[in-house]
Amino acid sequence: MNNFGKNQKVQTGYLQNAAYMRLKNFQIGYTMPRHIIQKAGISNLRVFFSGENLFTIAGLPQGFDPETIYTGYGAKDGSNNSGKTYPLSRTFSAGFSVNF
């Protein structure tokens, strides 16, 4: 009990690498050539595909979002280290835009 210096040294045994890479938004589209679509009476036709929250590469345990760790969201004890949040939803969209 008198050894106050015990376990006071800097250590990295419990640290985790929180580096990550995330593709949050990806959109690709194609505008049809005017000489093809003018025959149908269309002045502009664009087709597109969009995806959000497609993937995250991280070395953290499953269920931890690297962007929300230490934000305090969901912590019941007042600490800022919960990391418990709902996962980001993956969304896909496709569509077209037509001008006559």
Side-chain angles (χ1 to χ4, degrees):
M1 294 194 34
N2 294 333
N3 188 1
F4 295 109
K6 185 177 182 180
N7 202 18
Q8 297 292 319
K9 295 185 180 185
V10 177
Q11 61 173 314
T12 59
Y14 297 105
L15 290 179
Q16 292 187 8
N17 185 357
Y20 70 97
M21 183 174 71
R22 173 173 282 162
L23 182 59
K24 275 199 140 178
N25 189 331
F26 178 77
Q27 185 177 52
I28 188 167
Y30 179 72
T31 302
M32 298 292 287
R34 190 174 296 251
H35 69 275
I36 294 174
I37 59 175
Q38 279 182 341
K39 297 174 185 175
I42 300 172
S43 65
N44 189 21
L45 174 63
R46 179 172 170 77
V47 180
F48 66 89
F49 170 80
S50 175
E52 295 190 25
N53 302 317
L54 297 178
F55 68 85
T56 301
I57 299 172
L60 295 171
Q62 186 70 20
F64 284 95
D65 185 358
E67 289 184 0
T68 60
I69 293 178
Y70 298 112
T71 62
Y73 180 78
K76 293 185 169 79
D77 61 355
S79 66
N80 289 332
N81 60 0
S82 97
K84 299 176 185 174
T85 59
Y86 286 107
L88 295 172
S89 59
R90 187 173 292 142
T91 307
F92 298 101
S93 304
F96 58 93
S97 173
V98 180
N99 295 333
F100 294 97

